[in-house]
Amino acid sequence: MANAASGMAVDDDCKIRFLQLKAKRTYRFIVFKIEEKLKQAVVEKLGEPNLTYEDFAASLPANECRYCIYDFDFITSENCQKSKIFFIAWSPDTAKIRSKMLYASSKDRFKRELDGIQVELQATDPTEMDIDVIRGRAN
Amino acid sequence: MYGGDEVSAIVIDVGSYSCKAGYAGDDTPKAVFPSVVGSIEQTGETDEAKPDKEADTASDSKNGTKPMDVDKAKTKRKLYVGQELEFRRDHMKVISPMKDGTVTDWDIVDNIWNHAFRQRLLINPEEHPMLIAEPSTNTGQQREKAAELMFEKYKVPALFLAKNAVLTSFASGRATSLVVDSGGGSSVVAAVHDGYSVATSPIGGEFLTDCMMKSLESKGVAIRPRYSFKKKEISPGEYTVVDLDLPNTTESYKLYCMRAIASDIKESVCRVPDTAFDEVAYANVPTTSYELPDGQTIEVGADRFKIPDILFNPSLSQTIPGVDGFADSMSVRGLPRMVIDSVNRCDVDIRKELLSSILLSGGSSSILQLKERLEKEVLEESSGNTRVKVLASGNSVERRFSVWIGGSILASLGSFQQMWFSKAEYEEHGVSYIQRKCP
């Protein structure tokens, strides 16, 4: 357990949806939000497999924090079709300090509930989660 | 588990310069007062010469189940905390509980806590869970000491110890970051990512203040402490200054008052130079005037830039007459070097991420241009095309109090209420359980 963890729980639905994304590839991305009143993280949005990275980026609120899972398809230099599961902690600088604290202190626990994350990144503005950044981290 | 969030928790952060205390959920701490205390030695009286405010505490030391060395020391001196320090008293010395960012005198910390709870917040610590922000460098022993004091003396219902650097990092929305905390007594660089790699330097705001004072002295400017003179209005708008003779004032109190003035000069005029300080190039910079409390006006020139540059180049302090050099000047590094060294001690995989989220916090981070200069120097020292980003909250209140604000939010979260180290757990598992509950 990390120091100063918030103790936020994770809704079972988060794990189920993540497993579906991982095993059956039924979603392109999942966006999670924390419901402070319910004291748990829940699924906010599910993205169909045919949606693009742009659609995913557009689905994030500009002034609020979120956790996201994105299934990134790419072709390696050996011409091999691959995919990697990204975990992105979206925490824009313009978000309220309370929201930033809430998401950062709950992240460790949340991440551990989702088994199979391959790449993790934290983004505080759109440039930090640009498609090029994603591509760079995938290799 | 500590049940219920109907009682608001108290968040307290005792720094080397000031103590911040207030209610969880608030935006800023309710009480901010100096972390130093005045002390008058008591001569051969009974051991009940404690400060009056101590007498009515329900948790008098005698009722404490475990004897603590704190109580032994207390009988010999009377301590003045907070505003009581503002009045000059004969033979009163000014002492600090901290040395190099860690607590060395628990008796003083105890008095500071007591002052915060009973004189400032006016609360009964037995009724409120307590979140304490501790330095990242704290040892297990010190954490246990703090926990023991809180449970035994203040009888708090629940406690949590959170690390300074982690709170700052979380409050900016980052779970992985490099926190550069330049406070009053020291500068600490800590990498936050599950574990820590910490580098410290004794150069903080107070050291800069001292340098400012010595530098002014060497130029023949005498700073007169506010208590040592009286201003009289002889005709409208015209004043004369009358010196007062107070032979029993201690040297340390005088120094404390002079520092307060030097610190204000520093805060008013200083800024970090864009490039390394160079005596020749800055010889002709325009001066800025500053009016001392006794009416003298001084002109500050090159020192405006030279003093803050010490953060980057500690050896510069040796050129100021009267400043004690460091015992081992090689081990004192400038901020950019500390940043690079801390990063290099971390796992290769997170180095990039650390460099792209360097967080600046603490009182000294408010010096103008510090952020830009640090970013530039770290970029020069780091290899290759790494992305370096130094972040500091645009709001100076958030910068100064980032640790406290982080603690305030954390302690007010509904879900956090199950995380407290409760009194029941303390009684069942003992004090060492704190290491498990607040790793």
Side-chain angles (χ1 to χ4, degrees):
Chain A
M1 189 175 58
N3 180 266
S6 71
M8 200 62 70
V10 180
D11 186 16
D12 283 340
D13 194 39
C14 299
K15 286 174 253 180
I16 296 165
R17 301 290 180 186
F18 178 75
L19 284 175
Q20 287 172 344
L21 177 143
K22 189 171 81 166
K24 299 185 195 157
R25 314 204 65 190
T26 39
Y27 309 110
R28 173 61 55 197
F29 62 83
I30 312 173
V31 179
F32 306 92
K33 72 183 286 190
I34 293 179
E35 288 288 351
E36 210 190 314
K37 294 237 165 58
L38 299 175
K39 298 179 193 172
Q40 63 179 3
V42 298
V43 174
E44 189 194 37
K45 274 179 205 154
L46 293 164
E48 296 300 317
N50 57 351
L51 291 180
T52 62
Y53 190 76
E54 282 69 37
D55 295 323
F56 161 64
S59 71
L60 292 176
N63 296 319
E64 281 174 62
C65 303
R66 290 289 182 271
Y67 301 129
C68 339
I69 290 288
Y70 185 81
D71 186 8
F72 181 62
D73 285 329
F74 62 104
I75 296 161
T76 63
S77 47
E78 288 95 38
N79 225 4
C80 199
Q81 177 79 37
K82 272 195 154 185
S83 94
K84 270 194 177 160
I85 297 175
F86 276 73
F87 174 83
I88 301 168
W90 169 241
S91 179
D93 287 327
T94 46
K96 285 205 185 83
I97 187 163
R98 189 178 178 87
S99 156
K100 291 193 237 181
M101 184 79 201
L102 180 62
Y103 279 77
S105 57
S106 311
K107 185 180 127 179
D108 190 53
R109 164 86 189 275
F110 181 79
K111 215 175 61 194
R112 272 188 292 147
E113 297 287 343
L114 309 184
D115 184 27
I117 294 168
Q118 288 163 299
V119 189
E120 186 197 331
L121 57 98
Q122 60 182 352
T124 55
D125 64 59
T127 62
E128 287 180 46
M129 51 176 289
D130 202 66
I131 186 74
D132 295 325
V133 177
I134 302 280
R135 218 170 265 136
R137 292 288 298 271
N139 294 311
Chain B
M1 174 171 168
Y2 174 74
D5 45 352
E6 65 283 342
V7 185
S8 82
I10 300 296
V11 178
I12 186 159
D13 172 19
V14 181
S16 51
Y17 180 73
S18 61
C19 169
K20 284 78 79 177
Y23 298 99
D26 282 4
D27 295 338
T28 47
K30 275 265 181 305
V32 180
F33 55 90
S35 283
V36 289
V37 298
S39 152
I40 296 181
E41 303 279 333
Q42 304 283 312
T43 42
E45 284 169 40
T46 58
D47 62 353
E48 289 310 297
K50 291 178 189 176
D52 304 335
K53 60 178 188 279
E54 293 269 323
D56 57 349
T57 60
S59 48
D60 200 280
S61 58
K62 283 185 193 127
N63 303 340
T65 46
K66 288 183 188 173
M68 278 179 275
D69 49 344
V70 166
D71 300 314
K72 278 179 256 153
K74 201 183 289 168
T75 55
K76 288 280 180 265
R77 60 187 182 186
K78 188 171 167 71
L79 297 176
Y80 297 89
V81 193
Q83 277 172 335
E84 295 170 337
L85 191 61
E86 299 302 312
F87 308 106
R88 194 203 63 84
R89 288 180 169 84
D90 285 351
H91 306 295
M92 183 172 78
K93 285 187 199 141
V94 177
I95 47 179
S96 163
M98 319 275 272
K99 197 168 178 296
D100 300 334
T102 49
V103 175
T104 47
D105 189 333
W106 281 99
D107 182 29
I108 302 177
V109 174
D110 182 20
N111 272 272
I112 290 174
W113 282 347
N114 194 55
H115 177 81
F117 300 151
R118 299 182 198 277
Q119 314 290 121
R120 292 302 184 99
L121 302 177
L122 304 174
I123 53 119
N124 180 358
E126 288 175 39
E127 292 165 1
H128 298 264
M130 212 61 72
L131 185 136
I132 304 178
E134 55 165 8
S136 314
T137 48
N138 249 9
T139 59
Q141 212 183 353
Q142 279 168 315
R143 320 184 76 206
E144 286 182 18
K145 179 83 198 166
E148 191 179 304
L149 204 56
M150 271 294 171
F151 281 117
E152 296 292 346
K153 169 130 198 251
Y154 293 98
K155 306 214 177 323
V156 295
L159 175 74
F160 196 86
L161 297 181
K163 303 233 186 259
N164 273 345
V166 177
L167 291 178
T168 299
S169 179
F170 283 3
S172 77
R174 287 166 180 81
T176 299
S177 70
L178 193 75
V179 178
V180 178
D181 184 355
S182 192
S186 61
S187 296
V188 177
V189 176
V192 177
H193 181 89
D194 302 335
Y196 317 91
S197 157
V198 185
T200 59
S201 138
I203 299 178
E206 283 177 354
F207 183 75
L208 298 187
T209 300
D210 274 0
C211 288
M212 175 56 104
M213 203 162 73
K214 291 281 171 14
S215 181
L216 289 174
E217 264 173 24
S218 72
K219 291 186 174 64
V221 178
I223 299 176
R224 282 197 284 182
R226 191 63 191 85
Y227 67 84
S228 71
F229 59 86
K230 260 193 183 142
K231 257 184 176 176
K232 271 192 191 150
E233 192 169 20
I234 38 171
S235 61
E238 248 184 271
Y239 295 89
T240 77
V241 174
V242 184
D243 278 318
L244 300 175
D245 187 29
L246 301 157
N248 290 331
T249 311
T250 60
E251 199 54 32
S252 65
Y253 186 74
K254 186 177 166 206
L255 202 61
Y256 170 74
C257 292
M258 284 164 69
R259 270 193 187 144
I261 297 167
S263 164
D264 189 58
I265 301 175
K266 180 190 78 183
E267 282 160 24
S268 312
V269 305
C270 281
R271 57 171 282 172
V272 178
D274 297 334
T275 51
F277 180 82
D278 172 10
E279 200 83 50
V280 182
Y282 280 92
N284 293 317
V285 290
T287 58
T288 307
S289 49
Y290 179 89
E291 190 185 340
L292 293 174
D294 62 357
Q296 290 184 68
T297 303
I298 55 166
E299 296 290 329
V300 188
D303 282 346
R304 281 178 66 198
F305 298 95
K306 184 175 177 178
I307 304 293
D309 203 52
I310 293 169
L311 281 171
F312 291 85
N313 180 13
S315 61
L316 208 55
S317 64
Q318 319 266 323
T319 61
I320 298 170
V323 174
D324 299 330
F326 299 106
D328 181 9
S329 56
M330 290 308 287
S331 67
V332 178
R333 294 160 294 171
L335 281 182
R337 194 70 245 156
M338 283 165 68
V339 167
I340 298 287
D341 288 353
S342 300
V343 169
N344 286 342
R345 270 195 277 154
C346 293
D347 196 281
V348 181
D349 294 339
I350 64 161
R351 285 185 195 168
K352 252 189 169 165
E353 189 151 19
L354 289 177
L355 281 174
S356 66
S357 46
I358 300 173
L359 300 175
L360 208 50
S361 74
S364 299
S365 68
S366 299
I367 304 176
L368 288 175
Q369 294 290 318
L370 181 65
K371 177 181 148 204
E372 288 77 5
R373 172 78 182 281
L374 184 64
E375 187 164 292
K376 182 169 160 277
E377 297 230 333
V378 173
L379 190 62
E380 281 167 11
E381 293 209 27
S382 64
S383 53
N385 51 357
T386 343
R387 190 186 138 108
V388 175
K389 197 170 160 198
V390 178
L391 306 135
S393 168
N395 181 335
S396 72
V397 175
E398 272 181 30
R399 248 191 241 196
R400 251 187 91 194
F401 300 137
S402 64
V403 170
W404 190 91
I405 293 170
S408 162
I409 298 169
L410 187 69
S412 65
L413 294 175
S415 60
F416 183 75
Q417 306 312 317
Q418 56 181 316
M419 309 301 281
W420 295 104
F421 179 29
S422 72
K423 195 177 167 66
E425 283 170 311
Y426 170 75
E427 279 157 6
E428 190 178 335
H429 302 282
V431 73
S432 59
Y433 201 60
I434 188 91
Q435 320 283 13
R436 290 267 301 282
K437 289 294 281 191
C438 321

